[in-house]
């Protein structure tokens, strides 16, 4: 009997030592995880804003030469789970361009989802690799709320007062401007669509009084011609909770935007990129309607067709 008891005690001590060793190893592994490296955009938001409490995960990858996507899942300083998608397009890279999207590729008013608009995009020798929704619009007719200039033609010339517009001039400059500047700039525009509140102008954040929290789509441009589109999911408590306009401005300020503007958000927010291994467009975010909403127009990033 005594021998058997000693045997059990020996087994118990062996098991205890094994568990203790495993525990120590797990502690070491945890230290390695805490010290992990983050994507540059994630690191920037962690260091340069007051938005991020803890990063759960982040992924960054090259969509095409000169175009990259970063997806970040984090806990906000408000204690809410958040998802933000950041598209970075280097417009200095040869072949990287900006193109407007319209329903069925026409200049008439209608509504279509961003993935479907991409099927109608006709840019010779160019391939769309990413896209987002753009202007606010009449949800019955599809008529945009702001201006529309397509291929140098002024399709709609009534801006929404107090808002913004975004696009390219006939000499290829990317501009984000207040609608007050439209009369003096309209003859210079090549492709331009309306937008929402102007968030940053000449590196100075604008006065924002609206503190509503919603899903967001927004655009910013830096001094060295880096274009950023961001999409923030919201209205889904256990997935992502949305941002205020001030918080969106804080993101662009951290990214170094010279100018930035809000675009249509809410259920319209759509962030699409081309799959890296197949010729398929993926909706990367989770639209709050449960599926992509048909919208009035959008923007695509294109690259030289390979």
């Amino acid at each position: 009997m005594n021998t058997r008891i000693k045997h059990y005690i020996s087994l118990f001590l062996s098991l205890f030592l094994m568990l203790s060793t495993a525990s120590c190893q797990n502690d070491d592994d945890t230290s390695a995880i805490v010290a992990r490296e983050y994507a540059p955009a994630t690191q920037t938001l962690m260091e340069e804003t007051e938005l991020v409490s803890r990063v759960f995960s982040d992924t960054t990858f090259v969509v095409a030469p000169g175009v990259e996507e970063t997806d970040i899942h984090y806990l906000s300083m408000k204690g809410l789970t958040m998802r933000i998608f950041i598209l970075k397009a280097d417009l200095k890279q040869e072949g990287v361009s900006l193109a407007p999207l319209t329903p069925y590729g026409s200049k008439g008013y209608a509504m279509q989802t961003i993935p479907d608009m991409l099927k109608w995009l006709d840019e010779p020798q160019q391939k769309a690799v990413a896209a987002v929704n753009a202007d606010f619009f009449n949800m019955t007719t599809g008529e945009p709320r702001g201006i529309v200039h397509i291929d140098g033609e002024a399709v709609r010339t009534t801006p929404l007062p107090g808002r913004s517009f975004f696009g390219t001039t006939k000499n290829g400059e990317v501009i984000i401007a207040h609608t007050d500047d439209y009369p003096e700039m309209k003859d210079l525009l090549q492709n331009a669509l309306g937008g929402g509140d102007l968030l940053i102008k000449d590196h100075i954040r604008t006065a924002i009084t609206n503190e509503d929290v919603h899903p967001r789509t927004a655009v910013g441009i830096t001094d060295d011609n880096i274009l950023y589109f961001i999409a923030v999911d919201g209205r889904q408590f256990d997935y992502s909770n949305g941002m205020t306009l001030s918080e969106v401005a804080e993101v662009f300020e951290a990214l170094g935007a010279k100018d930035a503007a809000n675009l249509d958000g809410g259920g319209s927010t759509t962030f699409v990129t081309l799959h890296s291994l197949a010729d398929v467009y993926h909706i990367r975010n989770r639209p709050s309607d449960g599926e992509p909403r048909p919208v009035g127009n959008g923007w695509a990033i294109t690259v030289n067709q390979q």
Side-chain angles (χ1 to χ4, degrees), residues 130-296:
V132 298
N133 62 294
D135 196 9
F136 298 80
F137 61 99
N138 183 310
M139 295 184 69
T140 301
T141 65
E143 181 178 0
R145 297 295 191 186
I147 65 163
V148 178
H149 285 242
I150 305 293
D151 296 331
E153 179 184 345
V155 178
R156 192 178 192 280
T157 58
T158 306
L160 195 60
R163 298 297 183 92
S164 66
F165 61 95
F166 162 63
T168 57
T169 64
K170 292 175 181 177
N171 66 5
E173 180 186 2
V174 175
I175 53 98
I176 298 174
H178 195 278
T179 51
D180 288 350
D181 298 322
Y182 177 67
E184 65 184 67
M185 297 184 68
K186 64 180 183 180
D187 292 336
L188 305 176
L189 299 175
Q190 178 69 11
N191 292 304
L193 302 173
D197 292 79
L198 191 65
L199 304 177
I200 297 174
K201 187 61 182 175
D202 295 326
H203 294 286
I204 299 174
R205 287 173 63 170
T206 62
I208 298 170
T209 57
N210 184 330
E211 290 300 319
D212 293 343
V213 177
H214 295 294
R216 301 288 183 184
T217 304
V219 61
I221 186 76
T222 69
D223 284 316
D224 57 349
N225 229 22
I226 301 295
L227 180 69
Y228 287 101
F229 283 120
I230 72 167
V232 181
D233 277 332
R235 300 176 183 170
Q236 302 165 79
F237 179 74
D238 60 345
Y239 170 74
S240 189
N241 286 269
M243 278 187 177
T244 65
L245 293 178
S246 294
E247 289 169 336
V248 175
E250 190 172 350
V251 170
F252 280 118
E253 189 174 50
L255 294 173
K258 172 187 68 174
D259 302 317
N262 185 49
L263 301 176
D264 188 15
S268 298
T269 290
T270 310
F271 185 96
V272 177
T273 54
L274 185 67
H275 194 286
S276 59
L277 300 178
D279 192 18
V280 177
Y281 292 109
H282 276 197
I283 301 170
R284 302 291 296 164
N285 72 311
R286 187 185 293 179
S288 62
D289 284 357
E291 59 185 6
R293 174 186 288 178
V295 296

Side-chain angles (χ1 to χ4, degrees), residues 96-135:
V96 178
S97 301
L98 178 69
L101 293 173
T102 59
Y104 308 100
S106 75
K107 296 175 183 176
Y109 304 144
M111 291 175 287
Q112 199 172 31
T113 67
I114 294 300
D116 284 340
M117 283 189 205
L118 284 166
K119 298 174 184 176
W120 294 85
L121 181 63
D122 184 17
E123 292 288 313
Q125 306 303 314
Q126 292 287 107
K127 174 72 174 180
V129 295
V132 298
N133 62 294
D135 196 9

